[in-house]
Amino acid sequence: MKKTRAHFPRIKTIAYEGPKSANPLAFRHYNPDEIVDGKPLSAHLRFSIAYWHSFRGVGSDPFGPGTIVRSWEKGTDAISIAKARMDAAFEFFQKIRAPFYCFHDRDIAPEGRSLAETNRNLDKLVAHAKGLQKATGVRMLWGTANLFSNRRYMCGAATNPDAHVFAYAAAQVKKALEVTKTLGGENYVFWGGREGYETLLNTNLKREQDHLAAFLHMAVDYAKSIGFKGQFLIEPKPKEPTKHQYDFDVAAGIAFLRTYGLEKHFKFNIETNHATLAGHTFQHEIETAIAQGMLGSIDANAGDELLGWDTDQFNTNVKEITLAMVAILRAGGLGQGGLNFDAKLRRPSIDPEDLFHAHIGGMDTYALAFKLARRILADGKFSAFLKDRYASYDTGYGRAIEKRRVGFRDLNKLVLTKLGEPTPRSGKQEYLENLLNSYLHG
Ligand code: XLS
Ligand code: NI
Ligand code: NI
């Protein structure tokens, strides 16, 4: 790689200094090289940086344009700017010690006047990315296509009432899959950008859902035809940008995938803030996916309990993340998924250092939660409590219920002749909440 000027000259590679460190530019809990169960912590947590927020986000909101000005965003040639930006991004990935990154096709290269020109632009930046990946060892966690920013997608992509737009989106995703394969992306995400509706007055809900399913089947077929082995992921979100998104939450996603015979090809990319918007906890969405063996990856961020939109903040809530990590570790981890910081700086956080503080906070929170979750699981108190709470299903008629070997007649007879009235047992919620706090706060 040719030697380029440092884009973050004042910041060195972030070091692990331990929980007592007062250095705001050091890790206190995340030691990427610490060996846990035979592999480094970095390989357990598989942190990823979201290109769109950290290298395309400028702090704009509905009330004003961007506030964040980066030194590398200068010049007149869009391709040269895109390359300089990518150099800055890879310098950041290395300095923050993230092994992975994720991007939408349009994050890394500008759109041209035609699809052919856009694809040529993309090829130039993919070649640049390939070189940077090779030089730094940073890998691609997942790829995706931006099917929501351009005006053509204002009424959706695969669910657009116009088949012409469907066709265009198909061509775009075809290319995005090729790019993801070229760069060794381990997953491919479908977040339903504008796949939903604003009003049912102009919407044929059934046809739109059928079209979305047709689109996903085409993606599965195409991936197979080019030998792309990455895991396909659906990222549910209940609303925003549309009033109602079809992939509302994990449960709706499971029903959709099963209805259309897609369940073998997809898992879920679960985003914390999307769970909140759906009226669920993060843990609920994770457990719902795990229950079907469909947990794939995580978009690690946080919402604001007082706001009803996707604020995409960095998560520093140790309790929320510990509960999530307990669920994830109990299920055996994320496999080829990872923890992608789909999170952005607040509008007034305009310094390059803020990008580091933000990710250090997110990574430390997850690393601490990982350690707490391992301690909780090793102690086994919660697991033992759960086991005991459901023990009546482990033997006898309880077992027969689970195996569906008994029916209403048998159970009716059993109650009348033997069992009689059940003895209620406490759910012990307050005891369990205190037990959880004893791990979090000693
Ligand atoms: C938006 C989504 C998006 C996906 C990738 O809310 O989180 O960023 O993760 O398209
Ligand atoms: Ni996301
Ligand atoms: Ni989101």
Side-chain angles (χ1 to χ4, degrees):
M1 189 183 47
K2 74 173 185 311
K3 192 102 185 84
T4 43
R5 189 177 61 86
H7 295 281
F8 299 95
R10 288 209 302 264
I11 296 171
K12 292 200 207 55
T13 300
I14 304 301
Y16 169 73
E17 293 186 2
K20 293 205 172 68
S21 171
N23 176 0
L25 286 172
F27 293 121
R28 297 168 65 240
H29 303 287
Y30 181 53
N31 178 2
D33 302 324
E34 182 182 341
I35 301 295
V36 179
D37 287 344
K39 61 178 184 182
L41 194 50
S42 59
H44 285 276
L45 298 172
R46 292 167 63 87
F47 288 131
S48 158
I49 309 300
Y51 208 94
W52 53 101
H53 284 311
S54 291
F55 289 90
R56 298 315 306 270
V58 289
S60 58
D61 71 11
F63 303 92
T67 52
I68 297 171
V69 182
R70 296 295 186 219
S71 59
W72 53 84
E73 300 281 337
K74 50 172 189 273
T76 48
D77 173 42
I79 298 290
S80 313
I81 300 171
K83 285 184 182 166
R85 179 188 297 133
M86 191 175 273
D87 293 339
F90 274 79
E91 183 184 332
F92 177 73
F93 304 157
Q94 282 189 290
K95 287 186 168 172
I96 199 69
R97 302 171 77 183
F100 293 98
Y101 74 120
C102 296
F103 63 85
H104 301 84
D105 47 5
R106 302 296 174 255
D107 298 336
I108 62 166
E111 284 213 60
R113 278 157 305 192
S114 66
L115 183 62
E117 193 189 343
T118 301
N119 286 347
R120 282 194 297 275
N121 290 348
L122 190 51
D123 287 339
K124 288 179 193 153
L125 270 299
V126 167
H128 197 64
K130 204 163 188 177
L132 287 164
Q133 286 187 193
K134 196 154 181 269
T136 60
V138 175
R139 287 142 68 197
M140 186 178 175
L141 184 66
W142 48 261
T144 191
N146 180 328
L147 303 176
F148 45 88
S149 295
N150 192 287
R151 184 168 177 265
R152 78 177 74 87
Y153 296 126
M154 66 184 187
C155 299
T159 63
N160 198 291
D162 183 355
H164 189 159
V165 180
F166 183 108
Y168 198 103
Q172 192 179 329
V173 171
K174 173 182 176 290
K175 180 71 178 173
L177 285 168
E178 292 161 10
V179 163
T180 305
K181 181 177 182 245
T182 301
L183 293 177
E186 298 189 24
N187 305 267
Y188 186 90
V189 165
F190 292 87
W191 166 59
R194 293 184 195 272
E195 312 293 24
Y197 60 81
E198 297 296 332
T199 172
L200 285 171
L201 292 174
N202 66 13
T203 303
N204 186 328
L205 183 143
K206 165 88 166 76
R207 281 185 93 171
E208 292 201 358
Q209 293 190 340
D210 288 351
H211 298 165
L212 180 56
F215 194 90
L216 296 178
H217 272 292
M218 288 179 202
V220 168
D221 292 344
Y222 187 68
K224 199 169 165 211
S225 78
I226 62 169
F228 173 63
K229 298 266 161 25
Q231 173 67 51
F232 274 178
L233 302 168
I234 296 278
E235 182 179 322
K237 184 176 183 180
K239 56 190 165 196
E240 197 203 297
T242 68
K243 174 195 166 84
H244 183 107
Q245 307 260 130
Y246 293 128
D247 301 326
F248 193 92
D249 59 3
V250 172
I254 291 167
F256 174 85
L257 292 170
R258 288 193 187 284
T259 301
Y260 291 100
L262 285 158
E263 70 275 12
K264 284 193 188 60
H265 306 287
F266 286 82
K267 288 185 175 175
F268 289 95
N269 183 39
I270 297 173
E271 177 163 322
T272 325
N273 200 166
H274 297 180
T276 313
L277 289 175
H280 302 309
T281 61
F282 186 29
Q283 188 190 5
H284 169 92
E285 287 294 81
I286 291 171
E287 294 281 14
T288 305
I290 288 171
Q292 303 296 320
M294 290 169 93
L295 174 63
S297 201
I298 298 290
D299 265 7
N301 66 10
D304 186 306
E305 278 173 26
L306 304 182
L307 299 175
W309 63 90
D310 202 9
T311 59
D312 285 340
Q313 286 164 247
F314 286 83
N315 202 324
T316 53
N317 184 333
V318 177
K319 181 173 172 181
E320 181 177 46
I321 304 306
T322 301
L323 290 170
M325 283 313 294
V326 167
I328 292 169
L329 295 181
R330 221 184 238 148
L334 289 170
Q336 71 195 78
L339 299 166
N340 173 49
F341 289 108
D342 191 355
K344 64 186 176 204
L345 295 174
R346 296 306 88 194
R347 196 164 188 266
S349 300
I350 58 175
D351 294 344
E353 283 79 6
D354 293 323
L355 213 45
F356 285 87
H357 293 306
H359 285 87
I360 288 170
M363 291 161 108
D364 263 348
T365 301
Y366 266 92
L368 175 58
F370 175 82
K371 289 171 197 178
L372 291 169
R374 281 174 55 85
R375 203 174 307 149
I376 287 170
L377 290 173
D379 281 1
K381 287 184 184 157
F382 287 99
S383 307
F385 181 88
L386 275 186
K387 190 165 186 346
D388 181 59
R389 193 162 191 235
Y390 293 88
S392 59
Y393 288 93
D394 291 340
T395 53
Y397 65 91
R399 185 98 189 113
I401 290 171
E402 282 200 346
K403 292 276 174 209
R404 295 203 205 137
R405 282 197 307 254
V406 286
F408 281 1
R409 279 191 190 83
D410 313 301
L411 295 173
N412 175 59
K413 193 169 158 210
L414 203 58
V415 171
L416 289 176
T417 58
K418 245 176 96 184
L419 298 175
E421 185 63 26
T423 315
R425 285 179 74 188
S426 170
K428 295 257 177 258
Q429 182 170 334
E430 296 78 4
Y431 155 74
L432 294 166
E433 285 167 348
N434 295 350
L435 181 60
L436 178 64
N437 259 356
S438 76
Y439 289 98
L440 299 179
H441 306 295

